[in-house]
Amino acid sequence: MFTLELLPAGHGDSLWIEYGDPASPSRVLIDCGTRATYPKLKEKVAALPKDQRRFDLFVLTHIDADHIGGTLPFFADTTIDIEFDDLWFNGWKHLPADMLGGKQAEIF
């Protein structure tokens, strides 16, 4: 099984991937869209049985508001009881000095 769901993220991105055994799928979440995406994302997680609220991976691709806007309230919400095995994020310490990043965007 492999499914890819595009969550309602306005003009942004939020991708929910499930794969493997349909009875106990592995999950990956990529970005959380805009702040308006957060309630729908919370609703989707809350619909999962508590013992299945685990993701193998969360990826935050970059810090534009249409990718990170829903991420901040999602991770701050302690009522949804969710776990992530790994997090990927291209933060300052993860980017080589010669790569494009936040500093270059500010200059631009």
Side-chain angles (χ1 to χ4, degrees), residues 57-78:
L57 176 64
F58 174 74
V59 179
L60 180 58
T61 59
H62 59 288
I63 61 171
D64 288 350
D66 59 336
H67 295 260
I68 198 172
T71 303
L72 301 178
F74 181 67
F75 275 81
D77 189 338
T78 59

Side-chain angles (χ1 to χ4, degrees), residues 1-7 14-20 25-31 41 44 48 54-57 59:
M1 171 207 61
F2 181 88
T3 61
L4 169 62
E5 183 177 351
L6 307 175
L7 299 175
S14 186
L15 310 173
W16 181 295
I17 300 169
E18 293 188 358
Y19 61 95
S26 295
R27 291 186 180 89
V28 174
L29 180 61
I30 303 173
D31 293 334
L41 182 56
K44 185 159 178 67
L48 293 172
R54 189 191 66 71
F55 284 74
D56 295 307
L57 176 64
V59 179

